[in-house]
Amino acid sequence: MMRQYRFDLVLLVLLAALPALGVYPVFAMKVLCFALFACSLNLVLGYTGLLSFGHAAFFGGAAYFAGYAMRDLAWSPLAGVLTGVATGAVFGLIFGLFAIRRQGIYFAMITLAFAQMFYFFCLQAPFTGGEDGLQGVPRQTLFGVSLDHDLALYFVVLAVVAATFALMSRVIASPFGRVLAAIKENEPRAISLGYEAERFKLLAFVLSAAVAGLAGALKTLVLGFATLSDVHWSLSGSVILMTLVGGMGTRFGPVVGALLIVSLETKLGDIGNWLAQATGWQAFTGLGSMVSVVTGVIFVLCVLLFRRGIVGEWLVWTQRWRTRRGNATRPAALAGAVKG
């Protein structure tokens, strides 16, 4: 446990030092927002066993409502972000009441159907801006600190994401989290032990939706807009990909997956231009338009080679290495004890 806390502290210090290391703060904030989004899905997919194809509705709905509150109602960033959290929680409750009694592909299809209905609502609603999106969301000030400066906003976003991640880790390690794990492993047995599985799954789903809403509200605050791509079904697929590639059911798997996918979507064109200059092959300049192909290849490789995801495979490998190391040192220790 102490080793885990040390690792978390080192990671937090490293994230705080990213702007000083030359990382563009807006890009870092975007990664943090999508990492939080992926962690929200991991709560229901990795720890509860519910495949939701409608998480984009929570993310994008919170992005729209938070942006509307901050731009048109002139609410503070804190009130706008809390509006996004409430929006995600309410949507999660509505979706969950209809979907939670189903399992597997039926649960996924119900969440997808609700998400698509909300997508068409956002397409037609006057306050969303339709295909143009909701633009020009101001950052304003928070507790007297101007958020117009990217560096100030970065530390605010980092603090919120770190606190939320710590809260989710606490929830997963709590008795509530253990019940969710039991439901995922064997739901009939959990029911036979007296647990109301549907109630626990609904609570987990609402909590996941609220965290996804927080991620969407922060994204609107950072980038200053919300668009239809935030509520499109493809975003639900992207966040599932982040969770699977990083390693579902692990603490940092979704974070690694979000970093990889967002980096590819944002920086793949720059990587292609650099490769073209380094190798002289101009074919690399078109790499930026092949984001979907590259992410698809990465997903296939993970399915074939890293079934548990990047972090999941790493944890299994380290555990095997420690076991082999312990087995190797045990005879030597026993021999030393006999000689002594």
Side-chain angles (χ1 to χ4, degrees), residues 101-118:
R101 293 187 178 92
R102 301 295 180 261
Q103 295 180 351
I105 191 63
Y106 302 104
F107 177 88
M109 289 298 101
I110 291 175
T111 57
L112 176 60
F114 275 107
Q116 285 301 101
M117 286 191 291
F118 182 70

Side-chain angles (χ1 to χ4, degrees), residues 74-138:
W75 287 7
S76 68
L78 178 60
V81 170
L82 291 179
T83 300
V85 175
T87 300
V90 171
F91 282 12
L93 179 61
I94 296 173
F95 286 24
L97 288 175
F98 287 94
I100 212 68
R101 293 187 178 92
R102 301 295 180 261
Q103 295 180 351
I105 191 63
Y106 302 104
F107 177 88
M109 289 298 101
I110 291 175
T111 57
L112 176 60
F114 275 107
Q116 285 301 101
M117 286 191 291
F118 182 70
Y119 170 82
F120 288 110
F121 166 79
C122 293
L123 181 63
Q124 300 294 332
F127 76 94
T128 62
E131 294 182 354
D132 296 329
L134 192 149
Q135 307 285 340
V137 178

Side-chain angles (χ1 to χ4, degrees), residues 17 21 43 52 80 98 108 114 123 161 183 187 196 203 206 245 303 323 328 333:
L21 298 176
L43 179 63
S52 171
F98 287 94
F114 275 107
L123 181 63
V161 171
I183 293 174
E187 184 173 342
E196 297 182 25
L203 288 174
V206 172
V245 169
V303 169
T323 302

Side-chain angles (χ1 to χ4, degrees), residues 220-239:
T220 298
L221 181 62
V222 170
L223 300 182
F225 59 84
T227 63
L228 288 175
S229 61
D230 295 331
V231 292
H232 197 261
W233 67 267
S234 60
L235 184 62
S236 296
S238 295
V239 75

Side-chain angles (χ1 to χ4, degrees), residues 1-21:
M1 185 64 69
M2 184 60 64
R3 181 182 300 174
Q4 174 181 313
Y5 287 144
R6 289 175 181 173
F7 179 80
D8 293 348
L9 181 60
V10 170
L11 180 60
L12 183 61
V13 172
L14 178 62
L15 290 174
L18 285 181
L21 298 176

Side-chain angles (χ1 to χ4, degrees), residues 324-337:
R324 292 174 183 175
R325 183 182 179 184
N327 293 335
T329 56
R330 191 174 296 114
L334 180 61

